[in-house]
Amino acid sequence: MQNAGLAALGLDWRYVAGEVHPDDLRAAIEGARAMKFVGLNLTVPHKLLAVGMVDALDESARVWGAVNTIRFEAHDAEGRWVSLGQIHGPINGPVHARGFNTDADAITRSLREDLGLEPHGARVLLLGAGGAGRVAALKLAADGVAHLFLVNRTASKAEEIAAEIRARHGRTEVVVGYPTGAIDLVLNATSLGLKHDDPLPFDPEKFRLMQATAAYDMVYRPAVTPFLAAAKTAGCQVANGLGMLLYQGAKALEIWSGKAAPVAVMRRALEQNIYGR
Ligand SMILES: NC(=O)c1ccc[n+]([C@@H]2O[C@H](COP(=O)([O-])OP(=O)(O)OC[C@H]3O[C@@H](n4cnc5c(N)ncnc54)[C@H](OP(=O)(O)O)[C@@H]3O)[C@@H](O)[C@H]2O)c1
């Protein structure tokens, strides 16, 4: 996705994946800084650790308490910190690491673009209260969801998120449990669906997919999970988590390059890579 995006933008950069032990994360960030990398993406479990390892946090990383994107910056001629990717010529002086989070915005962008769903005023059932479920719940509340129903195998984790939402986003009415009436969206943020014989991520005796207008599965491999297949049969509009993966990457590319990401090219590259089509 990123290399296709870089090529489409005419940038002679390369995006490579590396495996770093959490104990070595600080050294890896320092190494990237010394080599004047333009930036980094980080995934679990590095997103939380990196918060204390950068020189500055963008508002997005401060709000979500996690860093999934680092931009290395140096002073431009006017003394402002700018992306190394936007400095032409030699880089002298200090290089500074700024942490961002592009995950939360990617969730609601994907809901809007892939399902046409506007969170403001919506009724949403969110299944799962792990790392991704927590960010989704808080982002949906921040974007003005009116009623949020939280369900998780370990109910105490859903209760913790509900308490956080009540403290931070009082306009959203949050309930731990299933909705009784119609809802706009049911969102799977559990890891159920990754394996073909996984059960559905909800209790069919307590919730029926016919209650929902739309269903979103954060899982994107397989493209159609049993949850999405059942939702489609029940008449829901459906989308998988590919858009979420795409938009967090597209935003990172914009942060590094200062240019609009070629989203269609990046989506095509993802689909080819993941689904071979
Ligand atoms: N599309 C994307 O870009 C994207 C990005 C991030 C994550 N994801 C996907 O989102 C899902 C969650 O990721 P995460 O980072 O939040 O993982 P996580 O922190 O490990 O959380 C896993 C969640 O799944 C639940 N779960 C796991 N096994 C279960 C089972 N057998 N029965 C019922 N619930 C079960 C957990 O419940 P407990 O709390 O009870 O353990 C928890 O709510 C994964 O499928 C991941 O691939 C997609």
Side-chain angles (χ1 to χ4, degrees):
M1 160 174 72
Q2 292 293 2
N3 284 319
L6 293 173
L9 289 179
L11 292 167
D12 64 346
W13 307 354
R14 294 291 179 275
Y15 187 97
V16 295
E19 198 170 319
V20 175
H21 189 279
D23 291 348
D24 297 327
L25 181 59
R26 191 179 289 279
I29 294 172
E30 290 316 308
R33 183 206 303 267
M35 289 189 283
K36 300 193 170 64
F37 277 34
V38 172
L40 297 170
N41 276 143
L42 305 100
T43 190
V44 177
H46 298 119
K47 293 184 193 186
L48 299 181
L49 297 172
V51 170
M53 297 182 185
V54 290
D55 304 302
L57 288 174
D58 178 71
E59 180 65 14
S60 58
R62 231 192 317 267
V63 168
W64 303 110
V67 167
N68 80 327
T69 301
I70 291 177
R71 178 171 76 191
F72 291 106
E73 303 173 338
H75 280 134
D76 68 2
E78 280 83 46
R80 290 171 306 206
W81 290 111
V82 295
S83 170
L84 295 193
Q86 291 172 269
I87 294 182
H88 305 289
I91 294 157
N92 301 311
V95 172
H96 165 126
R98 189 183 303 272
F100 296 78
N101 190 302
T102 69
D103 288 327
D105 285 354
I107 297 170
T108 42
R109 184 167 175 195
S110 183
L111 292 176
R112 285 193 179 96
E113 302 212 2
D114 300 330
L115 284 177
L117 187 124
E118 177 49 54
H120 194 269
R123 288 167 61 85
V124 177
L125 167 60
L126 176 63
L127 307 164
R134 177 180 170 275
V135 171
L138 287 162
K139 174 64 177 163
L140 288 167
D143 281 12
V145 158
H147 298 273
L148 186 58
F149 301 89
L150 300 178
V151 171
N152 192 49
R153 176 179 60 180
T154 311
S156 59
K157 283 164 72 180
E159 295 285 2
E160 276 170 34
I161 295 172
E164 196 173 347
I165 289 174
R166 287 183 196 113
R168 284 170 69 172
H169 305 287
R171 286 171 314 165
T172 298
E173 192 187 304
V174 55
V175 170
V176 174
Y178 290 98
T180 47
I183 57 168
D184 299 293
L185 172 71
V186 51
L187 196 165
N188 178 36
T190 75
S191 37
L192 291 174
L194 289 170
K195 290 184 265 134
H196 74 277
D197 55 352
D198 275 344
L200 289 172
F202 61 88
D203 181 344
E205 302 206 337
K206 297 190 175 146
F207 173 73
R208 297 174 68 213
L209 284 165
M210 283 168 66
Q211 289 172 245
T213 305
Y216 189 94
D217 201 334
M218 283 196 186
V219 175
Y220 53 80
R221 194 189 336 233
V224 183
T225 58
F227 167 68
L228 286 188
K232 207 165 177 183
T233 305
C236 303
Q237 255 193 292
V238 297
N240 73 19
L242 195 84
M244 192 178 149
L245 178 65
L246 168 69
Y247 294 123
Q248 63 76 31
K251 182 69 186 174
L253 180 53
E254 290 175 353
I255 287 168
W256 298 319
S257 69
K259 298 176 188 213
V263 172
V265 170
M266 294 173 79
R267 183 186 285 274
R268 220 162 28 248
L270 264 184
E271 286 175 349
Q272 272 167 5
N273 209 281
I274 295 174
Y275 305 129
R277 62 174 193 234

PDB file of all heavy atoms in Angstrom, residues 128-133 152-154 157 189-192 194 218-220 241 244-245, ligand 1:
ATOM      1  N   GLY A 128     -16.644  -5.951  21.395  1.00  0.00           N
ATOM      2  CA  GLY A 128     -15.196  -5.998  21.608  1.00  0.00           C
ATOM      3  C   GLY A 128     -14.710  -4.785  22.369  1.00  0.00           C
ATOM      4  O   GLY A 128     -15.149  -3.655  22.106  1.00  0.00           O
ATOM      5  N   ALA A 129     -13.831  -5.033  23.337  1.00  0.00           N
ATOM      6  CA  ALA A 129     -13.300  -3.936  24.152  1.00  0.00           C
ATOM      7  C   ALA A 129     -11.792  -4.106  24.342  1.00  0.00           C
ATOM      8  O   ALA A 129     -11.247  -3.827  25.406  1.00  0.00           O
ATOM      9  CB  ALA A 129     -14.030  -3.871  25.491  1.00  0.00           C
ATOM     10  N   GLY A 130     -11.122  -4.596  23.294  1.00  0.00           N
ATOM     11  CA  GLY A 130      -9.662  -4.663  23.321  1.00  0.00           C
ATOM     12  C   GLY A 130      -9.109  -3.310  22.879  1.00  0.00           C
ATOM     13  O   GLY A 130      -9.806  -2.291  22.970  1.00  0.00           O
ATOM     14  N   GLY A 131      -7.862  -3.311  22.388  1.00  0.00           N
ATOM     15  CA  GLY A 131      -7.238  -2.047  21.989  1.00  0.00           C
ATOM     16  C   GLY A 131      -8.043  -1.325  20.914  1.00  0.00           C
ATOM     17  O   GLY A 131      -8.342  -0.127  21.035  1.00  0.00           O
ATOM     18  N   ALA A 132      -8.426  -2.050  19.869  1.00  0.00           N
ATOM     19  CA  ALA A 132      -9.141  -1.420  18.749  1.00  0.00           C
ATOM     20  C   ALA A 132     -10.565  -1.036  19.169  1.00  0.00           C
ATOM     21  O   ALA A 132     -11.075   0.013  18.760  1.00  0.00           O
ATOM     22  CB  ALA A 132      -9.168  -2.366  17.550  1.00  0.00           C
ATOM     23  N   GLY A 133     -11.196  -1.879  19.984  1.00  0.00           N
ATOM     24  CA  GLY A 133     -12.557  -1.583  20.442  1.00  0.00           C
ATOM     25  C   GLY A 133     -12.588  -0.328  21.301  1.00  0.00           C
ATOM     26  O   GLY A 133     -13.505   0.494  21.175  1.00  0.00           O
ATOM     27  N   ASN A 152     -18.733  -7.119  25.525  1.00  0.00           N
ATOM     28  CA  ASN A 152     -17.418  -7.768  25.452  1.00  0.00           C
ATOM     29  C   ASN A 152     -17.441  -9.029  26.294  1.00  0.00           C
ATOM     30  O   ASN A 152     -18.153  -9.096  27.305  1.00  0.00           O
ATOM     31  CB  ASN A 152     -16.334  -6.821  25.986  1.00  0.00           C
ATOM     32  CG  ASN A 152     -14.938  -7.324  25.669  1.00  0.00           C
ATOM     33  OD1 ASN A 152     -14.652  -7.686  24.532  1.00  0.00           O
ATOM     34  ND2 ASN A 152     -14.059  -7.364  26.657  1.00  0.00           N
ATOM     35  N   ARG A 153     -16.681 -10.045  25.841  1.00  0.00           N
ATOM     36  CA  ARG A 153     -16.599 -11.295  26.605  1.00  0.00           C
ATOM     37  C   ARG A 153     -16.260 -10.995  28.062  1.00  0.00           C
ATOM     38  O   ARG A 153     -16.910 -11.490  28.978  1.00  0.00           O
ATOM     39  CB  ARG A 153     -15.538 -12.204  25.958  1.00  0.00           C
ATOM     40  CG  ARG A 153     -15.298 -13.486  26.711  1.00  0.00           C
ATOM     41  CD  ARG A 153     -14.275 -14.346  26.005  1.00  0.00           C
ATOM     42  NE  ARG A 153     -12.967 -13.679  25.864  1.00  0.00           N
ATOM     43  CZ  ARG A 153     -11.923 -14.228  25.285  1.00  0.00           C
ATOM     44  NH1 ARG A 153     -12.012 -15.435  24.758  1.00  0.00           N
ATOM     45  NH2 ARG A 153     -10.776 -13.567  25.208  1.00  0.00           N
ATOM     46  N   THR A 154     -15.232 -10.176  28.265  1.00  0.00           N
ATOM     47  CA  THR A 154     -14.869  -9.761  29.618  1.00  0.00           C
ATOM     48  C   THR A 154     -15.609  -8.449  29.898  1.00  0.00           C
ATOM     49  O   THR A 154     -15.166  -7.373  29.490  1.00  0.00           O
ATOM     50  CB  THR A 154     -13.336  -9.556  29.724  1.00  0.00           C
ATOM     51  OG1 THR A 154     -12.696 -10.711  29.175  1.00  0.00           O
ATOM     52  CG2 THR A 154     -12.881  -9.330  31.148  1.00  0.00           C
ATOM     53  N   LYS A 157     -14.111  -4.996  31.057  1.00  0.00           N
ATOM     54  CA  LYS A 157     -13.392  -4.096  30.139  1.00  0.00           C
ATOM     55  C   LYS A 157     -14.362  -3.151  29.447  1.00  0.00           C
ATOM     56  O   LYS A 157     -14.065  -1.973  29.205  1.00  0.00           O
ATOM     57  CB  LYS A 157     -12.588  -4.911  29.118  1.00  0.00           C
ATOM     58  CG  LYS A 157     -11.301  -5.473  29.746  1.00  0.00           C
ATOM     59  CD  LYS A 157     -10.670  -6.572  28.943  1.00  0.00           C
ATOM     60  CE  LYS A 157     -10.026  -6.118  27.672  1.00  0.00           C
ATOM     61  NZ  LYS A 157      -9.428  -7.292  26.949  1.00  0.00           N
ATOM     62  N   ALA A 189     -15.379  -5.462  16.759  1.00  0.00           N
ATOM     63  CA  ALA A 189     -13.979  -5.141  17.076  1.00  0.00           C
ATOM     64  C   ALA A 189     -13.372  -6.255  17.916  1.00  0.00           C
ATOM     65  O   ALA A 189     -12.387  -6.041  18.617  1.00  0.00           O
ATOM     66  CB  ALA A 189     -13.899  -3.802  17.806  1.00  0.00           C
ATOM     67  N   THR A 190     -13.976  -7.453  17.850  1.00  0.00           N
ATOM     68  CA  THR A 190     -13.324  -8.612  18.483  1.00  0.00           C
ATOM     69  C   THR A 190     -12.448  -9.276  17.423  1.00  0.00           C
ATOM     70  O   THR A 190     -12.533  -8.951  16.233  1.00  0.00           O
ATOM     71  CB  THR A 190     -14.347  -9.661  18.984  1.00  0.00           C
ATOM     72  OG1 THR A 190     -14.851 -10.380  17.857  1.00  0.00           O
ATOM     73  CG2 THR A 190     -15.478  -9.035  19.763  1.00  0.00           C
ATOM     74  N   SER A 191     -11.646 -10.227  17.850  1.00  0.00           N
ATOM     75  CA  SER A 191     -10.838 -10.944  16.856  1.00  0.00           C
ATOM     76  C   SER A 191     -11.576 -12.162  16.305  1.00  0.00           C
ATOM     77  O   SER A 191     -11.007 -12.932  15.546  1.00  0.00           O
ATOM     78  CB  SER A 191      -9.477 -11.305  17.447  1.00  0.00           C
ATOM     79  OG  SER A 191      -9.605 -11.643  18.794  1.00  0.00           O
ATOM     80  N   LEU A 192     -12.855 -12.312  16.649  1.00  0.00           N
ATOM     81  CA  LEU A 192     -13.630 -13.438  16.115  1.00  0.00           C
ATOM     82  C   LEU A 192     -13.946 -13.180  14.644  1.00  0.00           C
ATOM     83  O   LEU A 192     -14.472 -12.121  14.294  1.00  0.00           O
ATOM     84  CB  LEU A 192     -14.921 -13.620  16.914  1.00  0.00           C
ATOM     85  CG  LEU A 192     -14.736 -14.128  18.351  1.00  0.00           C
ATOM     86  CD1 LEU A 192     -16.065 -14.130  19.094  1.00  0.00           C
ATOM     87  CD2 LEU A 192     -14.123 -15.525  18.346  1.00  0.00           C
ATOM     88  N   LEU A 194     -11.393 -14.123  12.389  1.00  0.00           N
ATOM     89  CA  LEU A 194     -10.080 -14.347  11.770  1.00  0.00           C
ATOM     90  C   LEU A 194      -9.948 -15.806  11.331  1.00  0.00           C
ATOM     91  O   LEU A 194      -9.325 -16.110  10.329  1.00  0.00           O
ATOM     92  CB  LEU A 194      -8.954 -14.005  12.759  1.00  0.00           C
ATOM     93  CG  LEU A 194      -8.752 -12.522  13.091  1.00  0.00           C
ATOM     94  CD1 LEU A 194      -7.776 -12.348  14.242  1.00  0.00           C
ATOM     95  CD2 LEU A 194      -8.249 -11.750  11.867  1.00  0.00           C
ATOM     96  N   MET A 218     -14.068  -5.162  11.702  1.00  0.00           N
ATOM     97  CA  MET A 218     -12.677  -4.693  11.647  1.00  0.00           C
ATOM     98  C   MET A 218     -11.772  -5.747  11.018  1.00  0.00           C
ATOM     99  O   MET A 218     -10.710  -5.427  10.494  1.00  0.00           O
ATOM    100  CB  MET A 218     -12.169  -4.360  13.047  1.00  0.00           C
ATOM    101  CG  MET A 218     -12.685  -3.043  13.569  1.00  0.00           C
ATOM    102  SD  MET A 218     -11.673  -2.536  14.966  1.00  0.00           S
ATOM    103  CE  MET A 218     -12.570  -1.091  15.494  1.00  0.00           C
ATOM    104  N   VAL A 219     -12.183  -7.006  11.108  1.00  0.00           N
ATOM    105  CA  VAL A 219     -11.412  -8.071  10.453  1.00  0.00           C
ATOM    106  C   VAL A 219     -11.556  -7.881   8.937  1.00  0.00           C
ATOM    107  O   VAL A 219     -12.645  -7.580   8.460  1.00  0.00           O
ATOM    108  CB  VAL A 219     -11.958  -9.459  10.871  1.00  0.00           C
ATOM    109  CG1 VAL A 219     -11.261 -10.572  10.105  1.00  0.00           C
ATOM    110  CG2 VAL A 219     -11.781  -9.664  12.377  1.00  0.00           C
ATOM    111  N   TYR A 220     -10.453  -7.983   8.208  1.00  0.00           N
ATOM    112  CA  TYR A 220     -10.528  -7.834   6.743  1.00  0.00           C
ATOM    113  C   TYR A 220      -9.979  -9.056   6.008  1.00  0.00           C
ATOM    114  O   TYR A 220     -10.004  -9.108   4.791  1.00  0.00           O
ATOM    115  CB  TYR A 220      -9.786  -6.571   6.275  1.00  0.00           C
ATOM    116  CG  TYR A 220      -8.376  -6.483   6.779  1.00  0.00           C
ATOM    117  CD1 TYR A 220      -7.341  -7.193   6.184  1.00  0.00           C
ATOM    118  CD2 TYR A 220      -8.073  -5.702   7.891  1.00  0.00           C
ATOM    119  CE1 TYR A 220      -6.049  -7.120   6.663  1.00  0.00           C
ATOM    120  CE2 TYR A 220      -6.794  -5.622   8.388  1.00  0.00           C
ATOM    121  CZ  TYR A 220      -5.784  -6.334   7.761  1.00  0.00           C
ATOM    122  OH  TYR A 220      -4.513  -6.276   8.253  1.00  0.00           O
ATOM    123  N   GLY A 241     -12.845  -4.369   7.422  1.00  0.00           N
ATOM    124  CA  GLY A 241     -11.883  -3.420   7.985  1.00  0.00           C
ATOM    125  C   GLY A 241     -10.766  -2.982   7.052  1.00  0.00           C
ATOM    126  O   GLY A 241      -9.843  -2.291   7.491  1.00  0.00           O
ATOM    127  N   MET A 244     -10.303   0.706   7.089  1.00  0.00           N
ATOM    128  CA  MET A 244      -9.655   1.215   8.302  1.00  0.00           C
ATOM    129  C   MET A 244      -8.129   1.121   8.168  1.00  0.00           C
ATOM    130  O   MET A 244      -7.399   2.067   8.477  1.00  0.00           O
ATOM    131  CB  MET A 244     -10.159   0.338   9.448  1.00  0.00           C
ATOM    132  CG  MET A 244      -9.865   0.811  10.802  1.00  0.00           C
ATOM    133  SD  MET A 244     -10.643  -0.393  11.931  1.00  0.00           S
ATOM    134  CE  MET A 244      -9.470  -0.244  13.261  1.00  0.00           C
ATOM    135  N   LEU A 245      -7.689  -0.021   7.650  1.00  0.00           N
ATOM    136  CA  LEU A 245      -6.248  -0.209   7.411  1.00  0.00           C
ATOM    137  C   LEU A 245      -5.751   0.814   6.382  1.00  0.00           C
ATOM    138  O   LEU A 245      -4.702   1.444   6.556  1.00  0.00           O
ATOM    139  CB  LEU A 245      -6.029  -1.642   6.902  1.00  0.00           C
ATOM    140  CG  LEU A 245      -4.615  -2.044   6.545  1.00  0.00           C
ATOM    141  CD1 LEU A 245      -3.722  -2.032   7.780  1.00  0.00           C
ATOM    142  CD2 LEU A 245      -4.611  -3.448   5.928  1.00  0.00           C
TER     143      LEU A 245
HETATM  144  N1  LIG B   1      -8.804  -3.169  10.060  1.00  0.00           N
HETATM  145  C1  LIG B   1      -7.803  -2.717  10.779  1.00  0.00           C
HETATM  146  O1  LIG B   1      -7.024  -1.880  10.341  1.00  0.00           O
HETATM  147  C2  LIG B   1      -7.633  -3.215  12.184  1.00  0.00           C
HETATM  148  C3  LIG B   1      -6.867  -2.487  13.102  1.00  0.00           C
HETATM  149  C4  LIG B   1      -6.758  -2.966  14.426  1.00  0.00           C
HETATM  150  C5  LIG B   1      -7.378  -4.164  14.773  1.00  0.00           C
HETATM  151  N2  LIG B   1      -8.107  -4.835  13.827  1.00  0.00           N
HETATM  152  C6  LIG B   1      -8.785  -6.094  14.171  1.00  0.00           C
HETATM  153  O2  LIG B   1      -9.649  -5.834  15.270  1.00  0.00           O
HETATM  154  C7  LIG B   1      -9.702  -6.981  16.123  1.00  0.00           C
HETATM  155  C8  LIG B   1      -9.366  -6.592  17.556  1.00  0.00           C
HETATM  156  O3  LIG B   1      -8.035  -6.116  17.617  1.00  0.00           O
HETATM  157  P1  LIG B   1      -7.409  -5.566  18.992  1.00  0.00           P
HETATM  158  O4  LIG B   1      -6.121  -4.947  18.642  1.00  0.00           O
HETATM  159  O5  LIG B   1      -8.426  -4.790  19.738  1.00  0.00           O
HETATM  160  O6  LIG B   1      -7.151  -6.939  19.764  1.00  0.00           O
HETATM  161  P2  LIG B   1      -7.183  -7.209  21.342  1.00  0.00           P
HETATM  162  O7  LIG B   1      -6.768  -5.986  22.083  1.00  0.00           O
HETATM  163  O8  LIG B   1      -6.435  -8.475  21.534  1.00  0.00           O
HETATM  164  O9  LIG B   1      -8.747  -7.461  21.667  1.00  0.00           O
HETATM  165  C9  LIG B   1      -9.398  -8.634  21.224  1.00  0.00           C
HETATM  166  C10 LIG B   1     -10.881  -8.504  21.433  1.00  0.00           C
HETATM  167  O10 LIG B   1     -11.524  -9.683  20.947  1.00  0.00           O
HETATM  168  C11 LIG B   1     -12.209 -10.340  22.029  1.00  0.00           C
HETATM  169  N3  LIG B   1     -12.089 -11.786  21.853  1.00  0.00           N
HETATM  170  C12 LIG B   1     -10.976 -12.480  21.535  1.00  0.00           C
HETATM  171  N4  LIG B   1     -11.259 -13.799  21.482  1.00  0.00           N
HETATM  172  C13 LIG B   1     -12.570 -13.948  21.786  1.00  0.00           C
HETATM  173  C14 LIG B   1     -13.450 -15.052  21.906  1.00  0.00           C
HETATM  174  N5  LIG B   1     -13.023 -16.308  21.708  1.00  0.00           N
HETATM  175  N6  LIG B   1     -14.740 -14.814  22.222  1.00  0.00           N
HETATM  176  C15 LIG B   1     -15.195 -13.545  22.421  1.00  0.00           C
HETATM  177  N7  LIG B   1     -14.411 -12.448  22.340  1.00  0.00           N
HETATM  178  C16 LIG B   1     -13.108 -12.649  22.025  1.00  0.00           C
HETATM  179  C17 LIG B   1     -11.520  -9.858  23.270  1.00  0.00           C
HETATM  180  O11 LIG B   1     -12.361 -10.045  24.380  1.00  0.00           O
HETATM  181  P3  LIG B   1     -11.727 -10.076  25.877  1.00  0.00           P
HETATM  182  O12 LIG B   1     -11.539  -8.634  26.276  1.00  0.00           O
HETATM  183  O13 LIG B   1     -12.765 -10.765  26.674  1.00  0.00           O
HETATM  184  O14 LIG B   1     -10.431 -10.837  25.780  1.00  0.00           O
HETATM  185  C18 LIG B   1     -11.274  -8.375  22.908  1.00  0.00           C
HETATM  186  O15 LIG B   1     -12.477  -7.646  23.005  1.00  0.00           O
HETATM  187  C19 LIG B   1      -8.725  -8.008  15.522  1.00  0.00           C
HETATM  188  O16 LIG B   1      -9.456  -8.893  14.715  1.00  0.00           O
HETATM  189  C20 LIG B   1      -7.826  -7.169  14.673  1.00  0.00           C
HETATM  190  O17 LIG B   1      -7.331  -7.927  13.570  1.00  0.00           O
HETATM  191  C21 LIG B   1      -8.249  -4.389  12.560  1.00  0.00           C
END
